[in-house]
Amino acid sequence: MDKGDHKHSGRSTGSDDLIPILIFLLISSAFSSVVVNGAGSNYLLGVGSYDMTGPAADVNMMGYANMDQVGAGVHFRLRARAFVVADLEDGGGRRFAFVNLDAGMASQLVTIKVLERLNSRFGDVYNEKNLAISGTHTHAGPGGYLQYVTYIVTSLGFVKQSFDVIVTAIEQSIVQAHYNLRQGSIFINTGDVVGASINRSPSAYLFNPEEERARYPTNVDNQMTLIKFVEEESGKSIGSFNWFPTHGTSMSRTNKLVSGDNKGAAARFFEDWFRSSHQNNSSNPPTTASASEQSATILMEMARRIKATGGQSCDKTTSQKFKVRKTSESEFVGAFCQSNVGDVSPNVLGAFCIDTGKPCDFNHSSCNGNDQLCVGRGPGYPDEILSTRMIGERQFQKAIDLFSSAEDVLSGKVDYRHTYLNLTNIEVELQDNTVVKTCPAALGPGFAAGTTDGPGAFGFQQGDTKINDFWRRVRDFLKEPSQEQVDCQLPKTVLLDTGEMFEPYPWAPAVLPIQILRIGKLVILCVPGEFTTMAGRRLREAVKDTLINNGNGEFNNDTVVVIAGLTNAYSQYIATLEEYQQQRYEAASTLYGPYTLSAYIQEFKKLATAMATGENPTKDGPSQPDLSSVQISLLPAPRVDTTPTGGKFGDIKEDIVLPPKKGHFSSGDKVSATFWSANPRNDLMTEGTFAVVEALAGKRWVPVFDDDDFCLFFKWGVETTDFHGVATLEWEIPKETASGVYRLRHFGTANIGNAGYQYFTGASSAFAMSSS
């Protein structure tokens, strides 16, 4: 039996000899992890996945708030990955859907519109209480899909194209999961990921009590919690989701390629590994054996005779046929979800001054007072693509280990609880019986300083609690905070009073959802923000204690509590009260004041009590606002596309340049070609591709890599003189690539004005790749 899959063996017999049967049953019970028709297989399971890459040009990326970081191509494509689990004991009615997005975070408005679509399909089967939408926190996805001013100002307001593609992807991934529901089992496993995270605010972490810190071996949570879905009838694994905290900032604030960052990379590696190892179907098929056995001389002669095709018309869906990975109902879905990521960085080499090479100031993460000189380094420094791959691989390798060795079968209820909170004015009773309050949202000077993953601007430093007269005047011009707000936020100094700014519409959320999902002993806390390491530990511990103390024995120390960060909505950071005192970036971005975490813990304990006792919360709270009708969009529409006189879209501008002397390429070389092209916003190529590497197999061209591969880059830009669009395809030839004849193919869609749109493709001249 493949240890990656769990199969149940059964047989019927007419023999009267019971001894062989008893021995068989004994062996089966010892070695089989799946208890069919027992406690472990009383779930309906379904998974789904859909492309949500979005606009690959012109749109500011969500995460770093850097106005100059505007998309200009694709590193690899983004996806929405979903699972649905339903409890068979009540006929499958008790269910929830969890969706993991290759996006910076979830959005209230996205959730609202997704539910409208699901309601039109399924009625009230999926609703705000049993749907969770979580972001991986990549900082390399298109922005403009949230509804509050603070989060869309750098994208020039609301970007409908970004928004629509995310909503559609979530909807389609859930639809797939819904219609693929099958009886099966869920396995759970945990283990530590090594070398994928460090604490980027270690000085703030030290503000937490020494006795509390002594309970943990590190200042970040290294544990990955993984669940594995196994279909009962076939015994095959259909999917796996895991939770582990590390920021999606392996790609820097200067990157302009759409990318799922390290978690998206890990998901791509995991799904490719499963496909190749469990289905004997490599995602990158080699060329024919006869071609791979040819000498370099023969291959070069074959390639020399095949010239560029020139631009050609094609159908709207042609690129979908050239995708290497075809989405199907049997597709395995592997998702790498975010957790309490607030102070956790993937730049594991640490932060150094780019002018001197020395470590940054410990308390302020600056270099001689300049925060912009202090930058974190990933393991592949200075190559951010390599760092992204390495951090993704470290998560992927641990996921393989946990997936392959998972034997602990979940059993018990599928359950959920959900409520809305107005975080701007919650009374919180502390342990000493003192009653305190949260505040309207506000950002401090440390927010403007940014982090070592992406430094800010304007001279601010992490830990600042003072603002100069100039910035005070700017703040007061936008909105002078009330004295009550100033006092409530202390020791934070209010730099932006976002919770009291409502023009042209609200700058920050006031009402936020919290949610608990349960599958047996696995409890998922869905939080609408980024909890720091210690804040997450406190929340998990408080909820677990509440469940155990109120669950009449249903919960115990084996209960596994995980945090799903950036889920259902977004409200920036949640630091501990002690970390709040230093006012580094995470604390300065803790919107609702020093007792934000205390409020979350108090309200989550209420939900946990309701879940443990089988009751519903006493009140559901105010609902989220729908601000879609007041959104402002300032991003210009794509202009009409043009080519040079006499040229066609898809024609070659710069063809393949062969390596001098040897005349062919080898693994590790980079191949590139540039095409006259059109704005990628004209057509997102959803479930398609902008770029393909084709291999010659006999007389047929076979796609072997596309823009969902880590080795093939699609880059787009505009000529500075005549403003014609150009697309550059770059292929870094992987080691395992077979010898053969290859070429690069590009797909695009041109806006040709009143005549509408023209779908085009073009291929470069052929070239030889020899491993000899």
Side-chain angles (χ1 to χ4, degrees):
M1 180 176 68
D2 188 333
K3 71 176 183 176
D5 284 328
H6 294 264
K7 299 180 181 179
H8 173 76
S9 299
R11 66 181 182 182
S12 60
T13 178
S15 173
D16 294 329
D17 187 353
L18 295 179
I19 293 178
I21 297 176
L22 292 174
I23 292 174
F24 172 79
L25 291 175
L26 179 63
I27 294 173
S28 296
S29 65
F31 290 96
S32 177
S33 299
V34 178
V35 185
V36 178
N37 295 324
S41 60
N42 59 343
Y43 302 120
L44 291 175
L45 309 173
V47 296
S49 175
Y50 202 78
D51 188 355
M52 52 164 275
T53 301
D58 299 341
V59 178
N60 184 253
M61 291 181 173
M62 181 62 204
Y64 288 116
N66 176 15
M67 297 269 312
D68 293 330
Q69 191 189 17
V70 175
V74 176
H75 177 205
F76 61 94
R77 301 187 78 83
L78 311 180
R79 298 198 74 80
R81 297 173 170 91
F83 76 84
V84 173
V85 57
D87 196 331
L88 267 177
E89 290 191 359
D90 71 347
R94 195 71 171 173
R95 69 177 63 194
F96 67 78
F98 186 97
V99 186
N100 186 57
L101 305 178
D102 283 334
M105 62 284 293
S107 157
Q108 291 99 329
L109 191 57
V110 165
T111 299
I112 290 169
K113 298 306 179 184
V114 166
L115 286 173
E116 288 179 0
R117 294 194 186 185
L118 293 177
N119 184 262
S120 67
R121 285 178 178 269
F122 305 121
D124 196 39
V125 172
Y126 302 101
N127 52 67
E128 61 193 5
K129 298 182 185 299
N130 70 351
L131 170 64
I133 302 172
S134 179
T136 62
H137 209 36
T138 175
H139 284 42
Y145 63 91
L146 291 94
Q147 67 171 352
Y148 293 100
V149 172
T150 302
Y151 310 132
I152 59 174
V153 64
T154 58
S155 61
L156 302 180
F158 187 73
V159 180
K160 189 175 186 299
Q161 196 175 39
S162 290
F163 180 85
D164 286 345
V165 73
I166 292 175
V167 171
T168 297
I170 296 169
E171 176 195 18
Q172 291 301 319
S173 67
I174 294 173
V175 168
Q176 288 178 28
H178 178 91
Y179 287 119
N180 288 336
L181 283 170
R182 301 288 187 275
Q183 186 171 348
S185 300
I186 305 174
F187 295 79
I188 186 169
N189 205 358
T190 61
D192 286 346
V193 181
V194 177
S197 60
I198 62 168
N199 195 305
R200 70 184 185 190
S201 290
S203 63
Y205 182 87
L206 291 175
F207 272 61
N208 294 305
E210 183 178 359
E211 61 274 16
E212 182 180 32
R213 289 185 279 113
R215 295 167 50 199
Y216 304 98
T218 62
N219 60 4
V220 292
D221 284 335
N222 289 321
Q223 187 176 88
M224 173 183 285
T225 299
L226 176 143
I227 54 176
K228 168 182 176 178
F229 306 117
V230 179
E231 188 181 73
E232 178 186 340
E233 183 176 352
S234 66
K236 293 182 179 179
S237 302
I238 60 171
S240 178
F241 280 57
N242 67 68
W243 291 265
F244 167 77
T246 194
H247 249 82
T249 49
S250 292
M251 302 290 284
S252 73
R253 68 195 300 269
T254 60
N255 161 64
K256 295 186 178 182
L257 298 180
V258 170
S259 173
D261 210 274
N262 57 70
K263 285 193 175 290
R268 166 55 57 233
F269 300 153
F270 194 35
E271 291 173 344
D272 284 351
W273 164 79
F274 185 90
R275 181 183 294 107
S276 62
S277 62
H278 291 73
Q279 300 176 4
N280 194 29
N281 178 23
S282 172
S283 61
N284 301 316
T287 54
T288 60
S290 58
S292 64
E293 293 167 0
Q294 300 289 343
S295 69
T297 302
I298 295 175
L299 292 174
M300 286 189 291
E301 179 59 27
M302 291 171 60
R304 186 184 62 81
R305 295 194 294 267
I306 304 172
K307 302 302 182 184
T309 63
Q312 300 174 342
S313 296
C314 64
D315 294 332
K316 178 178 174 61
T317 59
T318 300
S319 80
Q320 296 178 9
K321 302 171 186 175
F322 281 76
K323 272 192 70 65
V324 174
R325 301 168 184 82
K326 303 293 195 301
T327 302
S328 67
E329 291 185 1
S330 61
E331 195 79 4
F332 176 89
V333 176
F336 287 68
C337 310
Q338 198 53 268
S339 191
N340 52 318
V341 69
D343 52 1
V344 186
S345 171
N347 294 311
V348 295
L349 298 185
F352 295 86
C353 299
I354 59 176
D355 56 344
T356 66
K358 296 180 179 180
C360 307
D361 174 85
F362 182 70
N363 288 311
H364 300 287
S365 293
S366 62
C367 304
N368 294 319
N370 188 341
D371 68 295
Q372 290 191 297
L373 296 177
C374 176
V375 180
R377 296 179 179 178
Y381 175 83
D383 186 342
E384 64 185 30
I385 300 290
L386 178 58
S387 290
T388 301
R389 172 184 285 276
M390 292 174 70
I391 297 297
E393 285 178 340
R394 291 170 187 181
Q395 295 174 76
F396 155 63
Q397 292 293 342
K398 175 51 64 173
I400 288 180
D401 176 41
L402 297 178
F403 180 87
S404 300
S405 61
E407 296 181 346
D408 189 2
V409 188
L410 289 178
S411 62
K413 296 178 180 177
V414 171
D415 204 358
Y416 49 84
R417 292 294 184 278
H418 173 285
T419 192
Y420 290 111
L421 307 174
N422 186 335
L423 261 294
T424 65
N425 189 27
I426 293 179
E427 288 192 350
V428 182
E429 185 174 347
L430 303 180
Q431 288 184 341
D432 62 1
N433 297 322
T434 303
V435 177
V436 294
K437 284 186 176 183
T438 55
C439 325
L443 295 165
F447 158 77
T451 71
T452 55
D453 291 340
F458 309 116
F460 292 98
Q461 292 188 67
Q462 295 193 63
D464 279 353
T465 55
K466 295 182 179 179
I467 54 177
N468 61 34
D469 289 341
F470 171 77
W471 287 112
R472 191 178 300 276
R473 288 195 295 271
V474 171
R475 178 200 69 182
D476 292 349
F477 173 77
L478 293 171
K479 174 65 176 70
E480 182 178 1
S482 64
Q483 188 60 47
E484 182 181 7
Q485 171 76 319
V486 170
D487 294 339
C488 187
Q489 291 281 350
L490 288 173
K492 179 198 294 176
T493 300
V494 177
L495 175 65
L496 282 175
D497 189 18
T498 55
E500 297 183 323
M501 297 166 68
F502 303 102
E503 297 296 334
Y505 43 90
W507 282 55
V511 175
L512 291 161
I514 62 172
Q515 183 181 42
I516 302 180
L517 308 175
R518 177 193 176 190
I519 313 171
K521 69 176 182 180
L522 173 63
V523 176
I524 305 169
L525 310 182
C526 300
V527 300
E530 303 175 57
F531 279 61
T532 64
T533 297
M534 194 62 85
R537 288 168 174 169
R538 291 182 189 177
L539 177 63
R540 291 198 307 262
E541 186 176 275
V543 168
K544 184 171 181 176
D545 288 346
T546 302
L547 292 170
I548 292 173
N549 293 332
N550 293 278
N552 297 319
E554 192 172 349
F555 297 93
N556 54 43
N557 286 330
D558 290 336
T559 300
V560 179
V561 180
V562 299
I563 289 175
L566 306 115
T567 301
N568 295 332
Y570 185 61
S571 59
Q572 293 175 258
Y573 286 76
I574 300 92
T576 68
L577 176 61
E578 294 84 356
E579 292 163 353
Y580 194 86
Q581 306 311 306
Q582 196 189 16
Q583 282 298 296
R584 284 180 63 97
Y585 176 83
E586 293 81 16
S589 305
T590 296
L591 296 184
Y592 307 104
Y595 300 105
T596 300
L597 174 60
S598 300
Y600 272 111
I601 290 175
Q602 173 181 281
E603 300 304 314
F604 262 106
K605 287 172 68 174
K606 294 177 182 178
L607 277 191
T609 299
M611 176 170 282
T613 60
E615 303 294 331
N616 287 315
T618 55
K619 61 178 182 178
D620 195 30
S623 61
Q624 299 177 95
D626 180 344
L627 302 179
S628 56
S629 64
V630 296
Q631 293 298 309
I632 296 174
S633 302
L634 300 178
L635 181 70
R639 56 187 290 275
V640 173
D641 298 296
T642 59
T643 61
T645 302
K648 300 189 300 250
F649 294 107
D651 281 354
I652 285 286
K653 179 179 183 288
E654 297 176 11
D655 209 345
I656 304 291
V657 177
L658 296 173
K661 295 184 180 179
K662 66 177 183 179
H664 65 85
F665 293 96
S666 303
S667 61
D669 288 342
K670 181 181 289 186
V671 183
S672 67
T674 301
F675 300 78
W676 295 113
S677 187
N679 196 312
R681 288 170 62 198
N682 296 331
D683 187 334
L684 305 182
M685 298 294 174
T686 301
E687 293 293 0
T689 181
F690 290 106
V692 173
V693 175
E694 295 178 301
L696 185 62
K699 296 182 179 181
R700 189 167 59 94
W701 289 101
V702 178
V704 290
F705 297 97
D706 61 24
D707 67 8
D708 209 11
D709 279 291
F710 230 70
C711 62
L712 180 60
F713 301 85
F714 164 66
K715 299 181 179 181
W716 186 83
V718 176
E719 274 201 324
T720 56
T721 52
D722 298 323
F723 303 106
H724 305 306
V726 291
T728 300
L729 275 55
E730 295 180 359
W731 181 37
E732 296 179 354
I733 304 176
K735 293 180 181 178
E736 66 275 10
T737 306
S739 296
V741 175
Y742 294 84
R743 67 181 181 183
L744 304 181
R745 176 175 292 279
H746 169 50
F747 291 93
T749 303
N751 175 2
I752 53 177
N754 293 333
Y757 291 91
Q758 176 185 326
Y759 306 102
F760 65 88
T761 185
S764 71
S765 296
F767 56 91
M769 204 298 292
S770 176
S771 57
S772 60

